[in-house]
Amino acid sequence: ARAASGAAEAPSPEQVAAIARVQRCLAELGYYKGEIDGKRGRATWTAFWHFKHEHGLAGHSDLLAEPVQQKIAVLCKIPEDTAALEPAVDPLDPGEAAETSSSPGIEGDKNVALAPAEDGATPSVPEAADGEAGPAPRARLDIDCVAEDLVALLRRAHGLGVAVKSCERPCVAAPKGLPQAQLDELQKAGGVVWCRSCVPIAGHLALVDVRRIERAGNVRLCPAPQRQLSKYGEGATEGIRSAMRVRELYRALPPAAEDPDAVAVIIGNRGYDRLPPSVTSHNDADAISTFLSEHLGYRADNIIDVRDAKKADLERLFGAEPGLDGDLARLVEAQPNAKVLVYYSGHGDTDAAQTETYLLPVDIEPHRAELGAYKLSTLYTNLAALDVKSVLVLLESEYGWDHGASVLPPNLPETINSALPRAAVPGLTVLAATDRGQRSLIDVTYDIGLFTRYLIEGLAGRADLAPIGNGDGELDSAEIYVFTAAFVDLAARKSFGVLQHPVYSGAATNVLTSARTAPSGSN
């Protein structure tokens, strides 16, 4: 009886292959560190437990259950030897990814794996010619137009042949409860266009979900914000969730080779002594650190990674005054070809006279930025003085006087002085999430800043895709900025019903990295 029972419980070869496939996916996503052996061991179950609770599958106890297998198909590439085990997924659903479809005209009528269809890309389907499977057309971003100023920037960088169209000024829903006179004043002063014909919705839906509903119902949705809107929503404090899931943004693309000239400083300031926390800043910094080391070829010894930096830490890193060296200058002094990336996520500020903008260290005293903060002008001066090939500054911050968790729709700029350099500096490129006191928002899928999410996607290669990118296999600063700004603007309006517009400064259009485009059938 025991023998018969043991024989009945032994997994079939197909089940072993399917379990191994799940293990490979969990390892790729960062959940599983064990051996790929096709066995349901403790390490496999622990990894699966975390995975299912973070992907809406908590009700499933079997890792071979069909919904689990379908989610695995969405998140991970499917090895050929187990492709037959995959459930069918509707290839017309823009919210699903790694779909398979049987396409007439493809030789043998075999299933063709499609590209992950995130909220900014359209899957590429191989075309047939004379009965043969032809090469897949280049993936294309799921965006028809961008703002007029972004079109102008692309044309300055790439010439008048840029094909992307400029959009009409987009609208947002009027905040609930505001009198018409105040709405008219906001429209006149801030150039806001109020949506007149859309279906209002409540809450913060991810951009991909909003667009799926709009396409399925042939409607236009617009979140209708309250007078005060929470910029974080729910569940934005679990760093482990963000650090694992953010790999979904670049996993399908081949990583870059190690680059000994790539140097980075990453700062995530979340825990302020006397100010509200910058809730996603640790998540943001973790996401960027993981992305640079796993995908862009940054060596661990070339990354200075700091959490909750005090003023002394910022001065030590970049120099206490204009013209003084810091640790970064000493790190690159023997690397004339160094490409420096500086990333900061945390609070910023503007002084009362609106003449200076600052990065706020975690030991700052409230309303004492002039004495206890680090001037962005000092940062720019000292970075420009580095004897390196290029410097890229990425700022996931905001520079108003309110550091709380509420946003006042429609989230217009409130101050005068810009966080950007007063004039473009040769060799220095700056991308900032917001400017002039506008609040920054969270990506509701990954619990990281909206700006950081689309930066990672753009730098991973998607900014080179048409109609924004020129498809030359290189990512330049204009492509990265326009991609990021276009999707941040779209997601802010579609997920929150408010505005957010990243800003850019660069004396030239610098090539930042190569575009590691995915092979046919993926992006």
Side-chain angles (χ1 to χ4, degrees):
R2 290 192 187 97
S5 174
E9 293 176 359
S12 67
E14 290 79 8
Q15 289 175 319
V16 171
I19 294 169
R21 179 183 168 284
V22 173
Q23 289 174 326
R24 283 192 292 272
C25 182
L26 294 176
E28 190 175 341
L29 297 175
Y31 294 93
Y32 182 62
K33 303 297 183 183
E35 182 181 353
I36 309 300
D37 55 9
K39 298 178 180 178
R40 303 174 190 257
R42 176 176 296 180
T44 301
W45 170 251
T46 300
F48 172 59
W49 189 92
H50 288 289
F51 170 82
K52 72 177 185 176
H53 279 82
E54 291 172 4
H55 290 273
L57 298 167
H60 299 281
S61 60
D62 185 0
L63 53 79
L64 297 184
E66 183 174 341
V68 176
Q69 292 293 299
Q70 189 166 355
K71 178 61 72 171
I72 292 294
V74 168
L75 297 178
C76 295
K77 297 176 68 175
I78 307 168
E80 292 183 4
D81 59 347
T82 60
L85 300 176
E86 292 307 314
V89 183
D90 181 2
L92 299 180
D93 183 352
E96 296 294 345
E99 305 96 325
T100 58
S101 68
S102 182
S103 303
I106 303 296
E107 183 179 7
D109 206 22
K110 295 179 181 178
N111 285 346
V112 180
L114 302 186
E118 287 284 352
D119 40 314
T122 299
S124 297
V125 183
E127 296 179 349
D130 299 328
E132 296 292 332
R138 186 173 181 83
R140 181 180 175 86
L141 297 173
D142 187 14
I143 191 169
D144 297 323
C145 60
V146 298
E148 187 175 352
D149 63 319
L150 300 182
V151 174
L153 191 150
L154 281 177
R155 287 178 175 164
R156 289 197 299 270
H158 298 162
L160 297 179
V162 168
V164 64
K165 301 175 183 177
S166 58
C167 303
E168 296 181 5
R169 180 167 292 181
C171 68
V172 293
K176 294 179 179 179
L178 288 187
Q180 187 61 46
Q182 191 169 350
L183 294 177
D184 293 343
E185 182 180 347
L186 286 170
Q187 182 166 348
K188 182 178 179 180
V192 181
V193 177
W194 303 118
C195 294
R196 302 299 182 188
S197 57
C198 62
V199 178
I201 58 173
H204 301 164
L205 290 179
L207 177 58
V208 65
D209 296 322
V210 174
R211 301 184 100 185
R212 181 189 297 123
I213 296 168
E214 288 182 330
R215 286 165 179 155
N218 194 25
V219 295
R220 183 171 66 175
L221 304 182
C222 53
Q226 304 291 333
R227 288 193 183 192
Q228 280 198 330
L229 176 74
S230 171
K231 62 181 286 186
Y232 296 124
E234 299 295 330
T237 58
E238 296 296 331
I240 187 75
R241 173 185 174 194
S242 174
M244 289 179 174
R245 294 197 62 196
V246 75
R247 293 184 175 96
E248 297 172 14
L249 299 176
Y250 57 85
R251 183 189 57 251
L253 301 179
E258 183 178 280
D259 185 354
D261 294 324
V263 176
V265 177
I266 302 170
I267 300 170
N269 278 6
R270 182 187 189 279
Y272 285 82
D273 295 342
R274 297 173 180 83
L275 294 176
S278 178
V279 174
T280 66
S281 286
H282 283 183
N283 288 5
D284 296 335
D286 290 345
I288 289 290
S289 180
T290 301
F291 173 61
L292 295 184
S293 60
E294 290 186 350
H295 195 74
L296 289 191
Y298 283 68
R299 297 188 336 199
D301 57 348
N302 275 354
I303 298 177
I304 301 174
D305 201 351
V306 181
R307 299 293 177 274
D308 294 340
K310 298 181 179 180
K311 184 181 182 183
D313 297 320
L314 297 176
E315 292 177 341
R316 173 177 52 80
L317 284 170
F318 303 118
E321 298 291 341
L324 296 182
D325 289 345
D327 288 353
L328 176 59
R330 288 184 282 275
L331 177 63
V332 301
E333 61 185 357
Q335 294 180 258
N337 292 319
K339 295 168 289 186
V340 175
L341 182 151
V342 175
Y343 175 87
Y344 172 84
S345 177
H347 290 321
D349 206 346
T350 298
D351 65 358
Q354 300 193 40
T355 57
E356 289 280 359
T357 48
Y358 304 89
L359 305 181
L360 293 188
V362 296
D363 55 351
I364 186 73
E365 294 280 350
H367 313 298
R368 301 295 295 274
E370 295 89 339
L371 297 176
Y374 193 83
K375 292 181 180 179
L376 275 171
S377 59
T378 299
L379 176 70
Y380 296 146
T381 297
N382 289 350
L383 291 177
L386 297 176
D387 185 18
V388 296
K389 188 174 181 179
S390 65
V391 181
L392 174 63
V393 180
L394 306 171
L395 300 173
E396 177 68 80
S397 189
E398 51 195 35
Y399 303 95
W401 298 306
D402 179 10
H403 303 109
S406 295
V407 178
L408 294 179
N411 195 26
L412 292 172
E414 297 176 348
T415 59
I416 298 172
N417 194 50
S418 175
L420 297 176
R422 297 187 185 279
V425 180
L428 179 67
T429 300
V430 182
L431 276 71
T434 64
D435 200 25
R436 305 178 193 274
Q438 189 179 56
R439 307 303 304 276
S440 60
L441 302 168
I442 182 179
D443 181 84
V444 298
T445 300
Y446 296 102
D447 290 347
I448 59 178
L450 208 56
F451 174 75
T452 297
R453 181 252 168 92
Y454 288 107
L455 267 178
I456 290 174
E457 284 202 57
L459 286 166
R462 291 182 59 200
D464 196 43
L465 300 180
I468 290 174
N470 59 9
D472 65 353
E474 293 182 327
L475 292 164
D476 61 48
S477 54
E479 290 171 329
I480 294 296
Y481 168 64
V482 172
F483 174 89
T484 304
F487 278 100
V488 166
D489 173 80
L490 184 63
R493 289 186 291 106
K494 291 293 187 180
S495 291
F496 292 85
V498 298
L499 306 173
Q500 181 181 339
H501 187 65
V503 292
Y504 166 87
S505 175
T509 304
N510 297 321
V511 173
L512 302 180
T513 183
S514 62
R516 284 159 301 284
T517 53
S520 297
S522 59
N523 68 352

Coordinates of all heavy atoms in Angstrom, one line a residue, residues 145-156 164-170 482 501:
C145 N 1.2 60.6 -29.2 CA 1.7 62.0 -29.3 C 2.3 62.4 -28.0 O 2.0 61.7 -27.0 CB 0.5 62.9 -29.7 SG -0.9 62.9 -28.5
V146 N 3.0 63.5 -28.0 CA 3.6 64.0 -26.7 C 3.4 65.5 -26.7 O 3.1 66.1 -27.8 CB 5.1 63.6 -26.5 CG1 5.3 62.1 -26.5 CG2 6.0 64.2 -27.7
A147 N 3.7 66.1 -25.6 CA 3.5 67.6 -25.5 C 4.4 68.3 -26.5 O 5.4 67.9 -26.9 CB 3.8 68.0 -24.1
E148 N 3.9 69.5 -26.9 CA 4.6 70.3 -27.9 C 6.0 70.6 -27.6 O 6.9 70.6 -28.4 CB 3.8 71.6 -28.2 CG 4.3 72.4 -29.3 CD 3.4 73.6 -29.6 OE1 2.3 73.7 -29.0 OE2 3.8 74.4 -30.5
D149 N 6.3 70.9 -26.3 CA 7.7 71.2 -25.9 C 8.6 70.0 -26.0 O 9.8 70.2 -26.3 CB 7.7 71.8 -24.5 CG 7.2 70.9 -23.4 OD1 6.2 70.2 -23.7 OD2 7.8 70.8 -22.3
L150 N 8.0 68.8 -25.8 CA 8.8 67.6 -25.9 C 9.1 67.3 -27.4 O 10.2 66.8 -27.7 CB 8.1 66.4 -25.3 CG 7.8 66.6 -23.8 CD1 7.1 65.3 -23.3 CD2 9.0 66.9 -23.0
V151 N 8.2 67.6 -28.3 CA 8.4 67.4 -29.7 C 9.5 68.3 -30.1 O 10.5 68.0 -30.9 CB 7.1 67.7 -30.5 CG1 7.4 67.6 -32.0 CG2 6.1 66.7 -30.2
A152 N 9.5 69.6 -29.7 CA 10.5 70.6 -30.0 C 11.9 70.1 -29.6 O 12.9 70.2 -30.3 CB 10.2 71.9 -29.4
L153 N 12.0 69.5 -28.4 CA 13.3 69.1 -27.8 C 13.8 67.9 -28.7 O 15.0 67.9 -29.0 CB 13.1 68.7 -26.4 CG 14.4 68.4 -25.6 CD1 14.2 68.7 -24.1 CD2 14.8 66.9 -25.7
L154 N 12.9 67.0 -29.0 CA 13.3 65.9 -29.9 C 13.8 66.3 -31.2 O 14.8 65.8 -31.8 CB 12.2 64.9 -30.1 CG 11.9 63.9 -28.9 CD1 10.7 63.0 -29.3 CD2 13.1 63.0 -28.7
R155 N 13.2 67.3 -31.8 CA 13.6 67.9 -33.1 C 14.9 68.6 -33.0 O 15.8 68.5 -34.0 CB 12.5 68.8 -33.7 CG 11.3 68.0 -34.2 CD 10.2 68.8 -34.7 NE 9.1 68.0 -35.3 CZ 7.9 68.4 -35.5 NH1 7.6 69.6 -35.3 NH2 7.0 67.5 -36.0
R156 N 15.2 69.2 -31.9 CA 16.5 69.9 -31.7 C 17.6 68.8 -31.7 O 18.7 69.0 -32.1 CB 16.5 70.7 -30.5 CG 15.7 72.0 -30.6 CD 16.1 73.0 -29.5 NE 15.9 72.5 -28.2 CZ 14.7 72.6 -27.5 NH1 13.7 73.3 -28.1 NH2 14.5 72.2 -26.3
V164 N 7.1 61.8 -34.2 CA 6.1 61.9 -33.2 C 5.3 63.2 -33.3 O 5.8 64.3 -33.6 CB 6.7 61.8 -31.8 CG1 7.6 63.0 -31.5 CG2 5.7 61.7 -30.7
K165 N 4.0 63.1 -33.1 CA 3.1 64.2 -33.2 C 3.0 64.9 -31.9 O 3.2 64.4 -30.8 CB 1.7 63.7 -33.6 CG 1.6 63.0 -35.0 CD 0.2 62.5 -35.2 CE 0.2 61.7 -36.5 NZ -1.1 61.1 -36.8
S166 N 2.6 66.2 -31.9 CA 2.3 66.9 -30.7 C 0.8 66.8 -30.3 O 0.0 66.9 -31.1 CB 2.7 68.4 -30.8 OG 2.1 69.0 -31.8
C167 N 0.6 66.6 -29.0 CA -0.8 66.5 -28.5 C -1.4 67.8 -28.3 O -0.7 68.8 -28.0 CB -0.8 65.7 -27.2 SG 0.0 64.1 -27.2
E168 N -2.7 67.9 -28.3 CA -3.4 69.0 -27.8 C -3.2 69.0 -26.3 O -2.9 68.0 -25.7 CB -4.9 68.9 -28.1 CG -5.2 69.0 -29.6 CD -6.7 68.9 -29.9 OE1 -7.5 68.9 -28.9 OE2 -7.1 68.8 -31.0
R169 N -3.4 70.2 -25.7 CA -3.2 70.2 -24.2 C -4.2 69.3 -23.5 O -5.4 69.4 -23.7 CB -3.4 71.7 -23.7 CG -3.2 71.8 -22.2 CD -3.2 73.3 -21.8 NE -1.9 73.9 -22.3 CZ -1.6 75.2 -22.1 NH1 -2.4 75.9 -21.4 NH2 -0.5 75.7 -22.6
P170 N -3.7 68.3 -22.7 CA -4.5 67.3 -22.1 C -5.3 67.9 -20.9 O -5.0 69.0 -20.4 CB -3.5 66.3 -21.6 CG -2.3 67.0 -21.3 CD -2.2 68.1 -22.4
V482 N 12.3 62.8 -22.8 CA 11.0 62.8 -23.4 C 10.1 61.6 -23.1 O 8.9 61.7 -22.8 CB 11.1 63.0 -24.9 CG1 9.7 62.9 -25.6 CG2 11.7 64.3 -25.3
H501 N 5.0 67.2 -14.2 CA 5.8 67.5 -15.4 C 7.3 67.5 -15.0 O 7.8 68.5 -14.4 CB 5.4 68.8 -16.1 CG 6.1 68.9 -17.4 ND1 5.9 68.1 -18.5 CD2 7.0 69.8 -17.8 CE1 6.6 68.5 -19.5 NE2 7.3 69.5 -19.1

